[in-house]
């Protein structure tokens, strides 16, 4: 068909529609290209920012966990109490206040904590070496304490030791739990003493990461520095077992390389789990060498861009239809050629194809056609103005100028487009201003400033992430302040302890007991004497200046006896003994004193004597008066002694409440039990008919019941079995024997059984008739007992034995438990324990022998005899 044969109306319609289509097509292409490019860029930036925010959130959590380990290490570096139980209590409190931790532990070098490792072999929180390596954990559910393992070879101990720096271990499985460990070295006086660490389970990482959703089906997961999966919302069997490098996809392998180098980025790849094309954004988590990975389906991420493009295409299509209708109306009314207008249209179309949308139609035409170019120009202006304004505002937003707004007055969907851009700018500006205020507060260490403007949709992820970071930092700051307060409280407690020490020294100086420390040399020169020596008229400098020797103040008639007694006890290895003798005051007055001498030996085996003397002159006078009292008063005496001892026991109990140190309180409690055992003897004597002997079977029953109640056993899992003959003992034998039973049963209740463990304590007492032994054994035992008494005259009983010329019936006492056994490295005859010192001393006092059997639990066997003393004349 030839063009000249086409009707003018048709040609006008065709030309106008085609021209407008070309103009709108170019305009729409430019707008779509610009806007969709900006929208796509914003979508990528938003996803990258989202991944970075989550990575920073996890980084804050990791730093908080690392701060716990570092704070614990610094606390223990300044810890001077050397109390292992208190240190384990600190671990349990840290574990209680940090529920997201699975374990808290300390690991010390040999004897680096308090130098007493050998005393704690296989005790809770210690291994066979006795090293202080408590591991407080919730692996089984309830809090448990067990010793660390593999510390001689594992990185968690060896790396802080060799590098002297904090370390974070690679993720690993322990007891079925996937975890990492934060460890910090402990230095004391510049030397490595051990480590402090926490175990963080990675289950919560999987829970948190798996619950993250972006767009419609997007998800997130975390990997380690080597690409190993730490979480995944669907593929749980990959966790801890599969790595990004295992996928035969080049893009994923490249991403794994970036993660290993601590570099963030994104890749476009087909998701191995869903088969969709996704954009995988990955950002490093600085603390822990982890990486956070955000997986977003590409079509969902660019859905906004597609929607905007479709809307612009609809606008262009509507405009084309509108112009086609307008052309049809014009063509109906035009009957003459419009060559000039057509040429003008061609020129405009050519310029529009080149992207020059500011070209306008010539309106200098016939009046009937003048509206045509004017209308065309109006359409061009209506399209070009909102396009240019949208491009201007979009460019400003891309440059960070968030206060820029649409300034032109447009109508319809162009107005809606401008309002949408303004609303987006305003919302983003408010969120950023509020976030900057919070971050500024962070720089000033103020973590109380909360997020006030909470976004919606994807902006909510940004504001919530900042708020979560603020809360985590606020928690860490609060914990640090609490730790500082705890250290200050400890310093104040130490100051109170020093004050108490000074008060105790003042009590000694104000007491009637005078303390001496002198050398085992001729004349007994004094190295120290308490200030209350003034009670005897002397001054401290009289002795310390060697002007007066201790031998100078001893009565000459008692001096030889004292020399012999001291030499005998030193040679026999005796550590403590008592004696009574007379001394001179400065004024020449003779006074009786009771001395308790402690024989001490240092590393060089040099001997030092420490003694306390008490003026007993009035007591001696009272003794002489008491010897003349009638027998009828004995009952009242025992009754009053029993009452006084009970008062002393009560005072010890009340005084123990003034102390918080467990060792001091335990010492008071043990003294209370010893007083109670003596009071019970006097009570039984008071109840006896002859006022001479004690029903010892009944006494053992009452004493053991009292001890079981005192140590809160009662009807517990530790039971008591008694096998005691009907035996009556005099007070001189009953009192030391009662204290021996008190010490052995108390030790069994305190140390033989672990908490919640079943067990049994057995006490046996039988009389061995001489007929059950051979004459040779009787004679040998008698010789051994006499020889022992002659060698160590700590009790003054050797003369009685030599005077009797016979050995009484012997008795056997057995105290046995089926607990964990007496420590093999301890010698019960030579220990710092006052209780065992009392046992060995009192066994000698009752002329007995003691044996220890640890083949089945712990069994002490004591063979002794009741001596019938004659009153002195």
């Amino acid at each position: 068909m030839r063009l000249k044969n086409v009707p003018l109306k048709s040609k006008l319609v065709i030309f106008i529609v085609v021209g407008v289509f070309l103009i709108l097509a170019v305009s729409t292409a430019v707008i779509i290209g610009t806007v969709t490019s900006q929208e796509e860029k914003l979508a990528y930036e938003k996803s990258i920012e989202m991944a970075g925010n989550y990575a920073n959130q996890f980084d804050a959590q990791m730093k908080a966990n690392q701060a716990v380990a570092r704070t614990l290490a610094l606390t223990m570096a300044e810890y001077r109490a050397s109390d292992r139980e208190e240190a384990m209590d600190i671990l349990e409190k840290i574990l209680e206040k940090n529920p997201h931790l699975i374990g808290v532990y300390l690991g010390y070098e040999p004897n680096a904590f308090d130098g007493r490792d050998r005393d704690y072999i296989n005790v809770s929180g210690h291994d066979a070496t006795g090293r202080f390596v408590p591991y407080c954990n919730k692996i089984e559910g309830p809090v448990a304490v067990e010793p660390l393992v593999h510390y001689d070879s594992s990185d968690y101990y060896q790396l802080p030791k060799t590098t002297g720096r904090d370390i974070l271990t690679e993720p690993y499985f322990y007891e079925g739990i996937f975890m990492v460990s934060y460890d910090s070295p402990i230095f004391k006086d510049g030397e490595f003493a051990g480590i402090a660490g926490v175990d963080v389970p990675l289950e919560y990482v999987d829970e948190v990461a798996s619950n993250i959703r972006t767009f419609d089906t997007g998800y997130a997961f975390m990997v380690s520095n080597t690409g190993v999966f730490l979480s995944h919302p669907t593929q749980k069997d990959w966790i801890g077992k599969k790595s990004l490098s295992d996928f035969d996809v080049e893009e994923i392998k490249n991403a794994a390389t970036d993660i290993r180098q601590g570099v963030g980025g994104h890749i476009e790849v087909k998701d191995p789990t869903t088969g969709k094309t996704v954009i995988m954004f990955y950002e490093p988590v600085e603390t822990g060498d982890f990486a956070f990975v955000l997986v977003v389906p590409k079509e969902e991420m660019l859905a906004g861009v597609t929607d905007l493009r479709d809307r612009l295409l609809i606008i262009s299509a509507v405009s084309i239809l509108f112009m086609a209708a307008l052309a049809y109306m014009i063509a109906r009314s035009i009957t003459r050629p419009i060559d000039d207008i057509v040429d003008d249209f061609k020129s405009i179309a050519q310029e529009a194809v080149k992207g020059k949308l500011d070209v306008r139609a010539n309106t200098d035409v016939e009046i009937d056609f003048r509206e045509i170019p004017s209308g065309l120009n109006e359409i061009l202006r209506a399209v070009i103005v909102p396009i240019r304004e949208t491009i201007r505002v979009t460019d400003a937003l891309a440059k960070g100028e968030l206060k820029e707004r649409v300034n032109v007055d447009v109508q319809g969907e162009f107005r809606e487009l401008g309002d949408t851009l303004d609303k987006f700018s305003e919302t983003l500006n408010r969120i950023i201003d509020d976030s900057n205020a919070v971050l500024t507060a962070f720089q000033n260490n103020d973590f109380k400033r909360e997020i006030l403007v909470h976004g919606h949709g994807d902006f909510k992820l940004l504001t919530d992430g900042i708020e979560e970071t603020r809360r985590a930092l606020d928690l860490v700051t609060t914990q640090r302040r609490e730790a500082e307060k705890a250290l200050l409280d400890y310093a104040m407690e130490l100051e109170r302890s020093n004050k108490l020490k000074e008060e105790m020294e003042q009590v000694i100086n104000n007491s009637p007991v005078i303390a001496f420390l002198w050398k085992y040399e001729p004349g007994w020169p004094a190295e120290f004497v308490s200030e209350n020596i003034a009670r005897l008229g002397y001054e401290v400098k009289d002795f310390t200046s060697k002007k007066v020797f201790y031998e100078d103040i001893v009565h000459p008639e008692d001096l030889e006896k004292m020399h012999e007694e001291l030499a005998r006890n030193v040679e026999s290895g005796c550590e403590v003994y008592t004696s009574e003798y007379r001394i001179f005051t400065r004024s020449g007055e003779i006074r009786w004193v009771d001395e308790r001498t402690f024989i001490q030996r240092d590393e060089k085996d040099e001997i030092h004597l420490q003694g306390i003397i008490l003026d007993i002159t009035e007591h001696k006078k009272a003794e002489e008066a008491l010897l003349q009292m009638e027998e009828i008063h004995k009952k009242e005496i025992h009754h009053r002694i029993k009452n006084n001892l009970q008062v002393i026991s009560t005072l010890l109990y009340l005084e123990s409440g003034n102390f918080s140190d467990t060792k001091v309180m335990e010492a008071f409690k043990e003294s209370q039990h010893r007083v109670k055992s003596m009071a019970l003897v006097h009570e039984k004597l008071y109840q006896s008919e002859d006022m001479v002997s004690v029903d010892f079977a009944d006494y053992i029953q009452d004493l053991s019941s009292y001890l079981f109640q005192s140590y809160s056993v009662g009807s517990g899992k530790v039971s008591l079995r008694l096998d005691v003959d009907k035996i009556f003992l005099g007070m001189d034998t009953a009192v030391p024997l009662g204290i021996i039973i008190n010490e052995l049963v108390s030790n069994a209740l305190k140390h033989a059984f672990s908490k919640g463990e079943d067990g049994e304590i057995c006490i046996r007492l039988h009389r061995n008739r001489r007929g059950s032994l051979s004459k040779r054994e009787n004679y040998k035992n008698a010789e051994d007992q006499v020889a022992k008494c002659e060698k160590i005259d700590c009790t003054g009983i050797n003369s009685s034995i030599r005077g009797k010329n016979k050995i009484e019936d012997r008795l056997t006492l057995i105290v046995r438990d089926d607990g964990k056994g007496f420590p093999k490295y301890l010698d019960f005859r030579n220990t710092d324990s006052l209780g065992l010192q009392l046992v060995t001393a009192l066994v000698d006092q009752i002329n007995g022998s003691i044996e220890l059997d640890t083949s089945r639990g712990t069994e002490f066997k004591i063979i002794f005899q009741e001596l019938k003393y004659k009153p002195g004349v």
Side-chain angles (χ1 to χ4, degrees):
M1 178 184 295
R2 298 179 63 182
L3 187 60
K4 65 180 181 180
N5 296 326
V6 178
L8 181 59
K9 179 175 67 176
S10 300
K11 289 192 290 185
L12 285 174
V13 171
I14 293 172
F15 289 150
I16 293 173
V17 170
V18 170
V20 171
F21 174 78
L22 291 175
I23 293 173
L24 290 178
V26 173
S27 302
T28 302
V30 172
I31 294 172
I32 291 175
T34 303
V35 175
T36 55
S37 176
Q38 295 296 328
E39 286 292 323
E40 185 173 349
K41 182 178 180 181
L42 287 174
Y44 272 89
E45 290 178 350
K46 180 178 70 174
S47 298
I48 293 172
E49 184 177 12
M50 186 186 307
N53 287 337
Y54 279 116
N56 291 335
Q57 177 181 343
F58 282 104
D59 183 58
Q61 294 176 355
M62 297 299 176
K63 286 182 177 178
N65 295 330
Q66 190 177 47
V68 173
R70 185 177 295 116
T71 301
L72 177 59
L74 294 175
T75 300
M76 298 312 296
E78 300 298 326
Y79 184 66
R80 304 301 181 192
S82 299
D83 189 331
R84 301 193 180 203
E85 293 183 1
E86 184 179 37
M88 287 192 285
D89 288 340
I90 292 174
L91 297 184
E92 292 183 6
K93 290 179 181 178
I94 292 175
L95 191 60
E96 179 182 346
K97 291 182 179 181
N98 297 271
H100 61 282
L101 300 180
I102 194 67
V104 184
Y105 51 88
L106 293 172
Y108 275 87
E109 291 285 280
N111 287 312
F113 186 76
D114 57 6
R116 298 175 57 202
D117 284 359
R118 69 172 187 174
D119 295 341
Y120 291 90
I121 292 176
N122 292 325
V123 177
S124 177
H126 307 72
D127 57 14
T129 67
R131 288 174 65 173
F132 189 42
V133 287
Y135 177 37
C136 185
N137 65 85
K138 299 184 292 186
I139 293 177
E140 298 294 335
V143 176
V145 179
E146 57 189 39
L148 295 174
V149 296
H150 308 309
Y151 50 77
D152 288 334
S153 58
S154 299
D155 289 346
Y156 78 90
Y157 189 94
Q158 296 300 322
L159 284 180
K161 179 178 180 180
T162 55
T163 64
R165 296 181 302 203
D166 299 343
I167 66 107
L168 171 64
T169 65
E170 279 289 316
Y172 62 94
F173 282 96
Y174 179 71
E175 296 293 336
I177 297 178
F178 197 42
M179 64 176 71
V180 293
S181 299
Y182 293 88
D183 299 285
S184 295
I186 301 173
F187 289 97
K188 287 188 176 182
D189 300 325
E191 296 293 332
F192 176 79
I195 65 163
V198 298
D199 288 343
V200 182
L202 294 179
E203 293 179 357
Y204 87 97
V205 173
D206 180 45
E207 292 176 0
V208 174
S210 298
N211 289 328
I212 295 174
R213 292 289 182 269
T214 179
F215 295 97
D216 294 332
T217 62
Y219 63 91
F221 61 87
M222 288 189 67
V223 296
S224 69
N225 184 43
T226 58
V228 176
F229 281 89
L230 305 182
S231 70
H232 198 281
T234 57
Q235 305 296 331
K236 301 299 182 182
D237 56 335
W238 291 1
I239 298 176
K241 299 176 182 178
K242 194 164 186 176
S243 170
L244 292 177
S245 301
D246 296 337
F247 294 98
D248 192 18
V249 179
E250 187 66 25
E251 291 82 357
I252 296 180
K253 291 183 177 180
N254 292 337
T257 301
D258 288 346
I259 291 173
R260 188 177 299 109
Q261 297 174 354
V263 178
H266 62 273
I267 59 172
E268 181 176 337
V269 70
K270 181 172 288 187
D271 191 343
T273 59
T274 63
K276 295 181 180 180
T277 299
V278 296
I279 308 298
M280 190 179 294
F281 299 88
Y282 47 91
E283 289 292 329
V285 178
E286 180 180 352
T287 303
D289 292 336
F290 301 153
F292 178 82
V293 183
L294 188 66
V295 181
V296 183
K298 184 176 181 180
E299 61 180 11
E300 295 178 10
M301 186 181 74
L302 301 180
V305 178
T306 304
D307 180 65
L308 180 62
R309 181 186 59 202
D310 293 342
R311 291 174 63 184
L312 291 174
L313 289 174
I314 292 173
I315 293 173
S316 299
V318 171
S319 299
I320 292 172
L321 293 175
F322 172 76
M323 293 306 299
L326 181 62
Y328 177 76
M329 294 175 63
I330 293 173
R332 277 178 36 177
S333 62
I334 295 177
T335 59
R336 285 186 271 176
I338 51 174
D339 295 338
D340 294 338
I341 296 176
V342 171
D343 291 340
D344 199 16
F345 279 5
K346 288 182 179 180
S347 176
I348 292 173
Q350 291 173 355
E351 294 298 323
V353 170
K354 299 177 181 179
K356 298 179 180 180
L357 300 180
D358 55 350
V359 178
R360 297 294 180 265
N362 184 13
T363 59
D364 187 16
V365 295
E366 295 180 6
I367 191 170
D368 294 331
F369 299 99
R370 192 169 297 164
E371 293 299 325
I372 296 175
S374 298
L376 178 59
N377 290 338
E378 287 296 328
I379 293 174
L380 291 174
R381 276 194 296 271
V383 174
I384 193 64
V385 169
I387 289 175
R388 287 179 174 175
E389 187 64 14
T390 300
I391 293 173
R392 184 186 68 80
V393 174
T394 303
D395 288 339
L397 293 178
K399 296 176 181 178
E401 299 173 1
L402 303 181
K403 295 185 178 180
E404 194 64 46
R405 299 291 184 269
V406 175
N407 298 324
V408 298
D409 184 15
V410 293
Q411 303 296 327
E413 293 186 0
F414 290 118
R415 179 70 267 169
E416 183 179 350
L417 175 62
D419 292 342
T420 300
L421 285 174
D422 289 345
K423 184 177 181 181
F424 171 77
S425 301
E426 182 178 356
T427 301
L428 187 59
N429 187 41
R430 290 176 59 226
I431 290 175
I432 291 178
D433 287 344
D434 189 54
S435 300
N436 285 336
V438 173
L439 295 176
T440 301
F442 284 2
Q443 296 174 352
N444 298 324
N445 291 324
D446 178 12
F447 303 107
K448 301 296 183 183
R449 169 62 163 84
E450 300 181 358
I451 287 290
L452 302 178
V453 180
H454 294 274
H456 299 281
D458 293 334
F459 286 138
K460 190 174 185 299
L461 298 176
L462 171 64
T463 56
D464 289 352
I466 295 176
E467 180 64 15
E468 287 296 328
T469 302
R470 181 196 67 79
R471 291 175 182 172
L473 292 174
D474 185 37
L475 177 61
V476 171
T477 303
T478 302
Q479 291 175 345
R480 177 178 59 80
R481 290 172 180 169
E482 291 177 352
E484 292 175 350
K485 183 178 180 300
L487 290 175
L488 180 60
D489 292 341
Y490 173 76
M492 295 177 65
E493 183 66 24
L494 185 60
E495 182 179 353
R496 286 194 293 270
S497 298
N498 292 333
K499 184 177 180 182
L500 178 61
K501 179 182 176 183
E502 295 175 358
E503 292 175 352
M504 291 300 294
E505 291 177 351
Q506 185 176 1
V507 168
I508 293 174
N509 291 329
N510 293 332
S511 71
V513 176
I514 303 173
F516 272 93
L517 180 64
W518 60 83
K519 297 180 180 179
Y520 185 51
E521 296 177 359
W524 302 330
E527 295 179 318
F528 168 82
V529 62
S530 57
E531 295 180 359
N532 56 355
I533 190 65
R535 293 177 180 271
L536 301 179
Y538 299 102
E539 296 181 1
V540 174
K541 63 182 180 179
D542 292 338
F543 293 90
T544 56
S545 64
K546 305 300 185 295
K547 180 179 178 181
V548 177
F549 290 82
Y550 191 77
E551 186 182 74
D552 298 339
I553 69 173
V554 179
H555 196 285
E557 294 179 2
D558 296 336
L559 192 58
E560 183 178 356
K561 183 194 73 169
M562 287 185 61
H563 277 290
E564 294 176 355
E565 192 176 52
L566 177 59
R568 182 169 60 252
N569 284 286
V570 170
E571 292 174 1
S572 66
C574 185
E575 294 183 353
V576 59
Y577 71 95
T578 60
S579 61
E580 296 180 1
Y581 54 89
R582 291 164 293 176
I583 63 172
F584 292 105
T585 65
R586 179 180 284 276
S587 62
E589 181 184 0
I590 298 176
R591 307 292 292 179
W592 275 95
V593 295
D594 178 88
E595 177 190 332
R596 186 175 182 86
T597 305
F598 299 88
I599 303 173
Q600 300 176 343
R601 295 170 173 83
D602 56 20
E603 296 83 357
K604 299 179 180 178
D605 206 28
E606 293 181 357
I607 297 175
H608 297 270
L609 304 176
Q610 178 182 340
I612 54 175
I613 63 173
L614 177 66
D615 188 340
I616 60 170
T617 304
E618 300 302 324
H619 176 71
K620 278 288 186 181
K621 295 177 181 179
E623 251 186 331
E624 295 175 0
L626 285 174
L627 291 175
Q628 300 173 5
M629 293 180 64
E630 297 178 352
E631 189 68 17
I632 195 171
H633 294 158
K634 288 184 178 180
K635 190 169 185 177
E636 180 63 18
I637 291 172
H638 288 302
H639 182 63
R640 291 188 180 184
I641 291 175
K642 184 247 325 183
N643 288 343
N644 289 337
L645 288 174
Q646 288 180 342
V647 169
I648 294 172
S649 176
T650 303
L651 290 175
L652 287 172
Y653 171 75
L654 294 175
E655 188 64 18
S656 66
N658 296 327
F659 298 88
S660 59
D661 186 64
T662 56
K663 293 183 178 179
V664 176
M665 295 175 67
E666 186 65 21
F668 273 99
K669 186 175 182 181
E670 291 174 354
S671 298
Q672 183 183 355
H673 294 339
R674 294 169 186 138
V675 171
K676 179 65 178 179
S677 68
M678 292 186 289
L680 192 57
V681 172
H682 289 278
E683 182 179 356
K684 295 300 178 182
L685 282 171
Y686 172 78
Q687 295 172 353
S688 66
E689 295 180 1
D690 58 3
M691 294 296 297
V692 174
S693 60
V694 176
D695 183 350
F696 214 71
D698 185 51
Y699 171 82
I700 291 177
Q701 176 68 49
D702 292 349
L703 178 60
S704 57
S705 298
Y706 164 75
L707 292 175
F708 268 59
Q709 291 176 0
S710 298
Y711 287 97
S712 301
V713 175
S715 58
K717 296 184 177 182
V718 179
S719 61
L720 172 68
R721 183 162 63 91
L722 296 179
D723 183 11
V724 182
D725 288 346
K726 194 70 171 179
I727 296 175
F728 289 83
L729 298 176
M731 185 180 70
D732 294 322
T733 304
V735 170
L737 190 61
I739 296 176
I740 290 172
I741 295 174
N742 172 77
E743 297 301 328
L744 296 181
V745 174
S746 297
N747 280 345
L749 289 172
K750 289 190 297 181
H751 306 298
F753 307 101
S754 300
K755 186 176 182 181
E757 182 181 1
D758 295 339
E760 179 185 81
I761 297 176
C762 176
I763 304 175
R764 299 182 61 193
L765 178 62
H766 297 285
R767 187 180 295 277
N768 303 322
R769 297 298 178 182
R770 280 176 290 176
S772 62
L773 299 175
S774 66
K775 292 183 178 180
R776 180 182 181 88
E777 290 175 319
N778 281 323
Y779 181 77
K780 182 64 170 64
N781 291 333
E783 284 188 329
D784 291 343
Q785 298 299 330
V786 172
K788 180 182 293 184
C789 290
E790 289 179 343
K791 182 178 181 182
I792 304 176
D793 187 15
C794 293
T795 62
I797 64 174
N798 54 343
S799 59
S800 298
I801 295 175
R802 286 193 294 268
K804 295 179 71 68
N805 294 322
K806 68 175 183 177
I807 302 298
E808 298 290 343
D809 291 341
R810 300 171 67 193
L811 297 98
T812 300
L813 170 67
I814 296 177
V815 179
R816 181 178 66 246
D817 65 74
D818 58 357
K820 53 189 175 185
F822 196 88
K824 295 182 179 180
Y825 59 87
L826 286 181
D827 180 5
F828 75 93
R829 291 185 175 87
N830 185 19
T831 177
D832 294 333
S833 170
L834 178 58
L836 291 177
Q837 290 178 9
L838 280 173
V839 170
T840 54
L842 292 174
V843 167
D844 290 335
Q845 180 174 324
I846 61 175
N847 196 19
S849 62
I850 182 170
E851 296 178 356
L852 173 62
D853 182 6
T854 59
S855 60
R856 292 179 298 174
T858 301
E859 177 183 294
F860 284 92
K861 182 177 182 181
I862 300 171
I863 300 176
F864 64 99
Q865 64 186 40
E866 181 184 12
L867 300 178
K868 308 299 184 180
Y869 300 113
K870 295 181 180 180
V873 179

